[in-house]
Amino acid sequence: MAANTDLFSPYISTVDDLIPSNDKDEKHLWTGESPVPVVIAYNPMLVGSDEVPHCWKDLLDPKWKGRIAFASPLKSGSAYTLLCTMLIALGWDGVEGFVKNLDGKLSGSSAEVYQSVADGQFAVGLTQEKVVQSLIQEGKNIAISYPREGTVAVDDSIALVKGAKHMKEAKEFIEFVLSKPNQMMMASLFNRRPVRTDLNPPEGLPPMSGIKLFDYDVTWASGNKQEILERWAGMVPAQ
C-alpha cells in the first residue's frame, strides 16, 4: 500500500477516531483493517521448554541449523516483512548468520512454513500470529513465541482506488470492512486482530499492548524493497 499511494484517493472512514494513528496513512490514502504480528512458531514436541527461542538472535544458535522453516521473501510478502523485522533486530550481519542456519532450505510458500512446523518437519518457523493461533485451536503441535526484542505488526489494509467507477459502493465497502460486526466476525473465524480500539483481540491472544513492537517504517520497507531483496538473493543459494 505504502509503495502505491499514487493509485489511491484519500478517504476518512466514519470510525477513523477508533483506529490508531500507526494503523493508517497520515494522509488517509489507506486504512489498516487488521494488524498482523509476525512471530516465531515452534513445535513443542521438538522444542523443550528451556529451548524455546525468545529472541530473534536465538535463531542464530547453531543448534537450529537446518531446523528453521522460512519462505523466500522474493516470493512471499509476509516473509519480506519478517526479513525487514530481522534487519531491525539483527542487522545484515545477523541476517547472514540466519541464512547460514537455514542450511539452504527454503519453504515453497508462507503456508508451507506453519504447516511444516505443525507436522514436525521443522522445529521452528517464522510466520504470522493469526495462522499459528488457528492451528493451535485445531489441536496441532505448534505454539507462539513473541520475540522479546520486539516484532512488527504490519496492517492488512484497504484503500479507495483513485477514479473508481463505483465510488459510492467503494466507500460503503470500506465502511463494511471496518464495521464492528465484520471485525468481530474476522476475529472469531480467522483470528484476525480488529484494528478498532473498541474491540478485543481474538480469544487466546494477548492484547497488542502486551506485545513489544518495533517502530516499523513502511515507507522505508517499500522504498528499499528492491535493494533489500537483491542483497538477500546474493546471500542465498539459487531459489
Side-chain angles (χ1 to χ4, degrees), residues 160-215:
L160 186 65
V161 176
K162 187 182 295 183
K165 293 182 179 180
H166 303 283
M167 192 66 72
K168 176 177 177 290
E169 290 83 355
K171 292 176 180 178
E172 288 175 349
F173 185 71
I174 291 175
E175 294 296 337
F176 162 74
V177 168
L178 299 175
S179 70
K180 182 177 288 189
N182 181 65
Q183 291 263 298
M184 292 174 66
M185 179 271 290
M186 296 293 279
S188 174
L189 294 183
F190 305 113
N191 289 298
R192 294 172 59 84
R193 286 179 177 269
V195 73
R196 297 168 55 126
T197 56
D198 61 338
L199 295 176
N200 295 322
E203 185 178 354
L205 293 178
M208 193 64 78
S209 60
I211 303 173
K212 185 175 181 181
L213 295 176
F214 289 131
D215 182 13

Side-chain angles (χ1 to χ4, degrees), residues 98-168:
F98 171 75
V99 170
K100 290 179 181 177
N101 258 5
L102 292 177
D103 199 26
K105 300 175 183 178
L106 279 172
S107 300
S109 67
S110 55
E112 188 178 308
V113 171
Y114 52 84
Q115 293 290 354
S116 62
V117 173
D119 292 345
Q121 298 175 52
F122 289 89
V124 299
L126 307 188
T127 186
Q128 297 178 331
E129 173 195 64
K130 59 185 179 181
V131 293
V132 181
Q133 183 63 10
S134 292
L135 290 175
I136 290 172
Q137 292 175 339
E138 293 174 16
K140 303 295 185 181
N141 290 317
I142 196 167
I144 297 173
S145 175
Y146 297 94
R148 291 171 179 166
E149 311 104 307
T151 188
V152 305
V154 177
D155 289 86
D156 286 342
S157 49
I158 192 165
L160 186 65
V161 176
K162 187 182 295 183
K165 293 182 179 180
H166 303 283
M167 192 66 72
K168 176 177 177 290

Side-chain angles (χ1 to χ4, degrees), residues 92-93 95-97 99-100 230-237 239:
W92 277 111
D93 287 346
V95 168
E96 185 173 2
V99 170
K100 290 179 181 177
E230 286 178 355
R231 187 161 179 178
W232 162 268
M235 293 181 175
V236 180
Q239 300 171 49

